[in-house]
Amino acid sequence: MKPTTLEEAVELTKKFTSKPSNEDLLKLYGLYKQATEGDNEGERPGGFDFKAAAKYNSWLSLKGTSKEEAASLYMELVEKLATQHL
């Protein structure tokens, strides 16, 4: 199943019957945030909030990527993950 829009891809992830790896979840998060909001301009989370820091870093690693490219990469990743998690 190949999503053709960001919204379709997001809906597809809600149908996964198993949870992707934390690495894949972080990639999805970063790509989604880049696709919907653009570059991460927020404050870095505090030192002991490791989950928030990992999400922040995932999004920050995509700085300079266009929203369109991030959306395309998100859809590609969801399509790949769907073969393993649906």
Side-chain angles (χ1 to χ4, degrees):
M1 179 174 218
K2 184 178 176 99
T4 56
T5 66
L6 186 62
E7 293 75 22
E8 282 181 18
V10 170
E11 287 305 309
L12 186 56
T13 65
K14 295 176 183 175
K15 296 176 183 169
F16 286 1
T17 56
S18 59
K19 185 178 173 185
S21 70
N22 286 339
E23 182 181 335
D24 285 333
L25 289 171
L26 284 171
K27 286 179 191 172
L28 286 171
Y29 174 84
L31 288 167
Y32 179 81
K33 294 294 276 184
Q34 189 70 22
T36 57
E37 297 183 32
D39 287 345
N40 183 348
E41 304 292 346
E43 291 285 318
R44 184 175 295 278
F48 291 107
D49 192 346
F50 298 113
K51 185 176 179 181
K55 290 167 86 172
Y56 177 92
N57 289 335
S58 177
W59 183 12
L60 190 65
S61 72
L62 296 162
K63 187 172 186 144
T65 304
S66 72
K67 288 183 177 185
E68 295 76 18
E69 184 179 354
S72 178
L73 291 169
Y74 182 92
M75 289 184 286
E76 285 175 22
L77 180 55
V78 169
E79 182 182 7
K80 178 182 147 224
L81 293 174
T83 64
Q84 304 161 15
H85 300 284
L86 277 178

